[in-house]
Amino acid sequence: MNAQDGVSPEIAELDRIVARARKAQAAFEAGGSQALYDKASIAVGWAIMEPVRNRALAEIAVETTGLGNVPDKITKNHRKTLGLLRDIAEVNTHGIISDDPTTGITEIARPIGVIGAVVPSTNPAATPANNIINALKGGNAIVVAPSPKGVASCEMLIGYIHTEFDKLGLDRDLVQMIPAPGSKAKTQRLMETVDRVICTGSQNNVHRAQSCGTPAVAVGAGNVTVIVDETADLQDAAAKIAASKCFDNATSCSSENSLVVVDAVYDAFVAAMAAEGGALVPSSGANDIVARLWPDGYLNRSVIAQDADKMLEALEMADKVPEGTKFLAVETDGIGRDHQLSGEKLSRVLALYRAADFEEAKATATRILAHQGAGHSVGIHTGDDTRAVGLGRDLPTCRVIVNQAHTFATGGSFTNGMPFSLSMGCGSWGGNSIDTNLHWRHFIQTTKIVRETSPREPELDEIFGVYWSETGR
């Protein structure tokens, strides 16, 4: 312990990092302009998207975390960053951003200050880059807290960012990270001393972020359920589900975890799924999968986010499925704590439920969400859009993804209108303060200039007239 200030050396080091971030942010804001904020954000985009660096980041991520695969991480780093830069290209985050003569209110964008970003090992480059770009777009500084396995990726990313900053004369202290070795104490101190916490990752981290005393934007757990009804294009649905489930070896919180297929098309869908590399494991084999996927009550690290061949070998399924199998769909009807297949699996394994009709499928999806993943998202493959709207009205979910590959659609796509993001707010259902994809607006605050206007006080009859006509005064 340092007797002078009563804190340990590692906490003192963290405090110095935050102090440097505050100094850099103050100068960034004082000399700020939209052009400067945009230039800084684009510099970060190029730091991760430049092809040689992108590949290096993908390779070190897989090497050090053991999660996902290099080609898909390259794609993710590129597309998520490109989509975000597209989203924010025309967004004003500096100076006056609205001026309404009717209300007399002028709104001025202001930075939040220093952002503390807690990021997961599943996306150890794409998620930090997303947060850093949004932070700089709003005139902030940012300190990243990577997971232990994500430290090497984060160090490499920030090194590339600093190289770009040097070209522009930007202060490196605008983007920093908790130095290795990371610790819960350092992350806790960071969360307690910054101006806003952005947290994506384990629910333990989310809980700590939301109880640290600093305003926090955190996101809920995923456990995506997708319905396939009798009106769906089965070949299209199977192809999209396979591509989505296998992408980056199912590291995404938006990866399908359960399918609910209506009886009328069940067999035909299973055949379509088989054509896309999805092998059916009948209910009689479900217990063996559960025993190997959760050998000691925890997910088997030899299965989590692994390539198909490694996954099949770890589950002792390699000689029991067709050659070319990419993922497994395990038949089950159990839901809840005693039925692990109904929860998140972080692997190329799906739970497959059969429903008599759409209403039963909807009820099954509701029960799965009640068990895990409430607020995050559900999907549906259907030819009847009213069913999608019905899910949105009745289920505890913030997103209903219609006829799309779920992983690619939930966090923003070039073919839908969702903001590009790697962090999905889950509303009150998921214990979150936001129900949207995390985006630039969560990285600024505004000051309102309020002027007097002409009176707009209504007469009582305008407000109560209809009510009085029904009930009397």
Side-chain angles (χ1 to χ4, degrees):
M1 298 288 288
N2 186 325
Q4 185 174 3
D5 54 19
V7 299
S8 66
E10 68 172 10
I11 296 302
E13 180 186 24
L14 190 281
D15 288 348
R16 288 192 291 272
I17 288 170
V18 174
R20 293 201 305 271
R22 290 202 178 283
K23 182 178 179 181
Q25 191 278 323
F28 192 48
E29 182 179 2
S33 67
Q34 194 64 66
L36 178 64
Y37 295 172
D38 289 349
K39 190 182 297 183
S41 299
I42 292 170
V44 176
W46 187 236
I48 186 173
M49 286 179 62
E50 191 279 320
V52 173
R53 292 186 292 209
N54 187 354
R55 174 168 288 278
L57 287 165
E59 289 174 346
I60 197 170
V62 174
E63 177 186 343
T64 56
T65 68
L67 305 173
N69 63 73
V70 171
D72 288 348
K73 291 220 181 280
I74 290 172
T75 298
K76 185 182 293 185
N77 291 345
H78 180 92
R79 290 180 66 83
K80 286 290 188 181
T81 307
L82 181 63
L84 172 60
L85 292 173
R86 181 208 67 178
D87 287 348
I88 65 175
E90 303 300 324
V91 171
N92 293 325
T93 55
H94 180 271
I96 295 173
I97 59 174
S98 70
D99 191 11
D100 188 343
T102 302
T103 64
I105 294 176
T106 300
E107 196 170 12
I108 302 173
R110 306 286 299 280
I112 288 169
V114 177
I115 306 293
V118 181
V119 298
S121 58
T122 48
N123 297 306
T127 299
N130 189 283
N131 287 332
I132 293 166
I133 289 169
N134 279 317
L136 294 171
K137 176 74 176 184
N140 305 286
I142 185 169
V143 181
V144 179
S147 67
K149 289 184 177 181
V151 167
S153 295
C154 199
E155 286 178 337
M156 181 178 285
L157 172 66
I158 290 178
Y160 292 152
I161 291 170
H162 287 168
T163 297
E164 294 301 312
F165 275 15
D166 291 347
K167 297 176 184 177
L168 301 172
L170 292 172
D171 191 338
R172 290 186 170 200
D173 286 343
L174 285 169
V175 179
Q176 300 178 76
M177 64 176 281
I178 293 179
S183 70
K184 288 185 177 180
K186 288 182 182 179
T187 300
Q188 187 67 30
R189 182 71 163 199
L190 175 70
M191 293 191 296
E192 290 171 353
T193 54
V194 295
D195 299 303
R196 176 164 292 175
V197 176
I198 304 293
C199 182
T200 306
S202 72
Q203 290 309 288
N204 177 56
N205 281 344
V206 167
H207 173 74
R208 289 171 58 214
Q210 292 178 324
S211 59
C212 70
T214 301
V217 177
V219 297
N223 183 31
V224 169
T225 299
V226 172
I227 294 171
V228 180
D229 76 10
E230 73 280 6
T231 70
D233 180 330
L234 300 184
Q235 284 69 39
D236 182 68
K240 287 175 177 174
I241 289 167
S244 174
K245 182 61 182 173
C246 297
F247 184 76
D248 204 22
N249 295 344
T251 55
S252 172
C253 62
S254 297
S255 176
E256 290 87 341
N257 274 284
S258 297
L259 301 181
V260 187
V261 183
V262 300
D263 190 68
V265 295
Y266 187 87
D267 292 339
F269 175 76
V270 168
M273 187 174 62
E276 297 294 338
L280 180 70
V281 179
S283 56
S284 59
N287 287 340
D288 288 342
I289 296 294
V290 170
R292 292 168 188 142
L293 190 49
W294 290 274
D296 52 4
Y298 296 95
L299 280 167
N300 185 344
R301 292 191 176 276
S302 298
V303 179
I304 295 174
Q306 297 302 305
D307 292 338
D309 57 343
K310 294 180 181 179
M311 177 269 295
L312 293 170
E313 182 179 350
L315 294 175
E316 299 179 24
M317 292 293 294
D319 60 349
K320 299 177 183 178
V321 296
E323 187 176 351
T325 292
K326 299 175 182 177
F327 66 99
L328 300 178
V330 186
E331 287 186 321
T332 185
D333 58 9
I335 299 171
R337 185 175 299 178
D338 297 329
H339 303 279
Q340 287 128 311
L341 284 170
S342 64
E344 195 169 31
K345 292 168 278 295
L346 289 172
S347 61
R348 292 173 176 242
V349 179
L350 281 166
L352 181 61
Y353 296 83
R354 189 168 188 153
D357 54 24
F358 173 72
E359 288 305 317
E360 183 175 300
K362 183 177 175 180
T364 298
T366 302
R367 289 173 57 208
I368 294 171
L369 286 178
H371 165 55
Q372 189 182 100
H376 192 285
S377 52
V378 298
I380 184 170
H381 291 272
T382 183
D384 183 353
D385 193 68
T386 63
R387 288 182 169 179
V389 175
L391 294 179
R393 285 177 174 157
D394 298 336
L395 268 61
T397 188
C398 293
R399 298 160 196 82
V400 178
I401 305 302
V402 185
N403 295 330
Q404 296 170 74
H406 209 281
T407 294
F408 308 143
T410 316
S413 168
F414 293 113
T415 57
N416 71 31
M418 293 296 286
F420 275 83
S421 179
L422 291 106
S423 306
M424 273 58 77
C426 299
S428 63
W429 299 296
N432 298 159
S433 60
I434 64 170
D435 60 4
T436 60
N437 291 6
L438 181 75
H439 66 285
W440 65 269
R441 189 63 182 81
H442 303 116
F443 291 80
I444 67 167
Q445 55 196 346
T446 63
T447 297
K448 290 84 176 170
I449 312 303
V450 184
R451 303 177 184 86
E452 193 172 35
T453 64
S454 301
R456 295 181 59 248
E457 181 178 356
E459 297 294 332
L460 291 181
D461 282 348
E462 294 178 59
I463 303 298
F464 293 103
V466 173
Y467 177 73
W468 286 336
S469 68
E470 294 177 359
T471 66
R473 300 182 64 165

